[in-house]
Amino acid sequence: MAERPGEFELIERYFRPLASDPGAFGLTDDVAVYVPPPGEDLVLKADQIVAGVHFFADDPPSAIASKGLRVNLSDLASKGATPVGYLLSMALPDDWTEDWLRDFSEGLAADQALFGVSLFGGDTTRAAGGLTVSIAAFGRVPAGSVIRRAGAAPGDMVFVSGTIGDSALGLRIRLGTLDSMPAGKAADHLLDRYLLPQPRLALAPVLLRFATSSLDVSDGLVGDFAHICRASGVGGEIDADAVPLSAGARALVDSDKSALASVLTGGDDYEILSTVPGADAERFAAEAAEAGVPVTRIGRVVEGKAPPVVIGANGQPLSLDAASHVHF
């Protein structure tokens, strides 16, 4: 193995160029400083991704970097926040190479340019097992306006952005657990959706104007809607037929009986699930479309405190083994 840079040389070579904000002090200090503009609140979020759990160890390094950053930016978007920057901590396995780290840092640089954020600091260490990437991202919102899970009320309509289930089905393609395996563009789309989340940052200002509650779909559509219902003290219904699907996902749902459960509960979509007052539903959908993020009405908020119900094509509740991905 070629000689690798030490910790401080590694930071100097690959991460200091990413620390463009003056408050990062060029990564020459133990801390960074960020002062939000007057009248704005700071919104904080931390997520980590782990080899063998959230990504495959042989995924492209740039894609691993992008996924680590984007899953955090997705949460900020769901809160109505404009992203500012992030802290990065990495535990590197013994076999890391400088070429791998170069590709990883280039992935971060590309996404920083795309999403307008800067690295503010972090840490590097040696992993006892596989690669772990932990990112703490932060953004800003007008004071007092952050959109929480709590806030949904009976009569609200339930919306989701984009399409649901692509990532979960892409993972099943990687694992080879589908009865019928798609090919061509459909397969490429599903695989890409698993590899590279698309944070819906353009939807954030629209959410601030209309949403009563919001989160990103990371653990599974049904389970994440249950989080909103629980926090808001309400019940809810999802119309399974209304859940937006890509062409590839639709083909799999039609041909594989197990695919629908993956769509509804599989997670890793990083789309935005929100509730909006019924009177504002049409305006919300129209302004979301103008912002370049299609949204689909998939259900409603109802009275009660029971877990949400998923209604099938026959008008009867569907029975699902689990509502979402289980971490432990």
Side-chain angles (χ1 to χ4, degrees):
M1 180 183 297
E3 184 175 350
R4 301 181 301 195
E7 179 184 8
F8 296 108
E9 185 181 357
L10 179 155
I11 293 169
E12 174 75 26
R13 188 177 302 174
Y14 295 110
F15 295 124
R16 184 168 296 169
L18 303 177
S20 57
D21 191 282
F25 306 131
L27 305 187
T28 60
D29 213 314
D30 298 312
V31 298
V33 173
Y34 177 76
V35 180
E40 296 195 333
D41 290 336
L42 201 60
V43 182
L44 311 175
K45 172 62 187 176
D47 257 327
Q48 63 180 334
I49 58 172
V50 179
V53 179
H54 304 97
F55 61 90
F56 291 83
D58 61 352
D59 282 345
S62 61
I64 296 171
S66 290
K67 187 166 194 175
L69 181 56
R70 293 181 185 198
V71 299
N72 284 274
L73 297 182
S74 178
D75 274 302
L76 293 181
S78 74
K79 302 294 113 180
T82 299
V84 173
Y86 65 101
L87 304 173
L88 166 68
S89 294
M90 298 178 65
L92 292 165
D94 287 338
D95 61 352
W96 71 272
T97 66
E98 191 166 3
D99 285 344
W100 187 97
L101 196 62
R102 180 183 300 110
D103 290 346
F104 181 90
S105 65
E106 288 176 354
L108 288 177
D111 269 7
Q112 286 193 187
L114 182 62
F115 299 117
V117 295
S118 172
L119 177 65
F120 274 71
D123 190 29
T124 56
T125 189
R126 184 174 62 184
L131 172 69
T132 297
V133 177
S134 180
I135 287 180
F138 57 97
R140 50 189 177 82
V141 296
S145 67
V146 68
I147 307 164
R148 300 180 56 198
R149 294 179 179 183
D156 284 356
M157 298 294 105
V158 182
F159 283 86
V160 73
S161 65
T163 57
I164 294 296
D166 293 333
S167 180
L169 295 175
L171 174 59
R172 292 190 64 183
I173 293 173
R174 293 281 298 265
L175 296 174
T177 61
L178 289 164
D179 292 340
S180 59
M181 300 294 286
K185 290 183 178 180
D188 291 343
H189 171 78
L190 299 176
L191 290 167
D192 184 67
R193 287 274 284 163
Y194 172 73
L195 192 64
L196 284 174
Q198 300 296 327
R200 302 301 189 181
L201 293 167
L203 190 59
V206 185
L207 292 169
L208 283 175
R209 287 193 290 275
F210 294 103
T212 56
S213 69
S214 182
L215 49 65
D216 75 335
V217 181
S218 54
D219 292 336
L221 178 66
V222 177
D224 284 324
F225 184 37
H227 294 326
I228 285 178
C229 291
R230 188 178 304 112
S232 301
V234 296
E237 297 177 352
I238 292 176
D239 298 323
D241 280 357
V243 175
L245 305 179
S246 67
R250 170 56 65 191
L252 286 173
V253 167
D254 290 343
S255 64
D256 187 326
K257 292 181 179 179
S258 69
L260 180 59
S262 293
V263 166
L264 295 173
T265 67
D268 267 5
D269 292 302
Y270 300 103
E271 296 292 350
I272 306 299
L273 179 69
S274 58
T275 58
V276 173
D280 294 330
E282 290 188 9
R283 288 172 56 213
F284 172 68
E287 291 196 22
E290 289 177 8
V293 183
V295 296
T296 303
R297 187 166 65 184
I298 62 169
R300 61 204 61 83
V301 178
V302 299
E303 298 276 0
K305 295 185 178 181
V309 176
V310 182
I311 307 299
N314 61 0
Q316 298 300 311
L318 294 180
S319 177
L320 300 167
D321 292 336
S324 64
H325 169 73
V326 178
H327 290 268
F328 298 102

